[in-house]
């Protein structure tokens, strides 16, 4: 699944176009490598998002949407200060 679609489906980002813009601004890393919106992700990948003053790191646990299980595991959430 594409990273922009995954972020939308997993509800980390509300809209796919917003997820695409975040990737275009070099704020998404998959396995510590800068990711484009079309980057394919799979179970076990580590995704780091730089959203505003937050840095969120997750591990993908599922690429299919199911009712009762989450699609990711939160590894860390940091707040940056400027």
């Amino acid at each position: 699944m594409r990273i922009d679609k995954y972020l939308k489906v997993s509800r980390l980002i509300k809209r796919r176009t917003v997820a695409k813009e975040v990737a275009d601004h070099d704020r998404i890393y998959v396995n510590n490598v800068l990711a484009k919106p079309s980057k394919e992700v799979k179970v076990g990948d580590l995704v780091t998002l730089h959203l505003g003053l937050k840095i969120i790191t997750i591990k993908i646990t599922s690429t299919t949407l199911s009712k009762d299980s989450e699609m990711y595991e939160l590894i860390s959430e940091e707040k940056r200060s400027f």
Side-chain angles (χ1 to χ4, degrees), residues 50-63:
H50 296 262
L51 301 172
L53 295 178
K54 287 186 186 178
I55 300 174
I56 301 170
T57 303
I58 62 162
K59 181 177 181 181
I60 297 176
T61 57
S62 173
T63 56

Side-chain angles (χ1 to χ4, degrees), residues 61-79:
T61 57
S62 173
T63 56
T64 57
L65 182 62
S66 59
K67 186 176 182 181
D68 294 330
S69 68
E70 290 197 24
M71 297 179 65
Y72 61 90
E73 174 186 343
L74 182 64
I75 303 296
S76 69
E77 184 174 353
E78 304 172 25
K79 288 189 178 183

Side-chain angles (χ1 to χ4, degrees), residues 14-66:
K14 279 189 174 186
R15 294 187 179 90
R16 187 170 176 180
T17 55
V18 174
K20 181 184 178 309
E21 288 174 7
V22 171
D24 286 339
H25 286 94
D26 300 337
R27 295 185 178 158
I28 299 176
Y29 292 84
V30 176
N31 298 324
N32 295 321
V33 177
L34 189 61
K36 293 184 178 183
S38 61
K39 169 74 175 160
E40 290 289 322
V41 292
K42 58 188 181 311
V43 174
D45 283 346
L46 288 176
V47 178
T48 304
L49 303 167
H50 296 262
L51 301 172
L53 295 178
K54 287 186 186 178
I55 300 174
I56 301 170
T57 303
I58 62 162
K59 181 177 181 181
I60 297 176
T61 57
S62 173
T63 56
T64 57
L65 182 62
S66 59

Side-chain angles (χ1 to χ4, degrees), residues 3-13 19 28 47 49:
I3 187 66
D4 59 346
K5 184 171 182 180
Y6 178 83
L7 292 172
K8 188 248 184 223
V9 171
S10 65
R11 297 184 180 150
L12 283 165
I13 296 179
I28 299 176
V47 178
L49 303 167

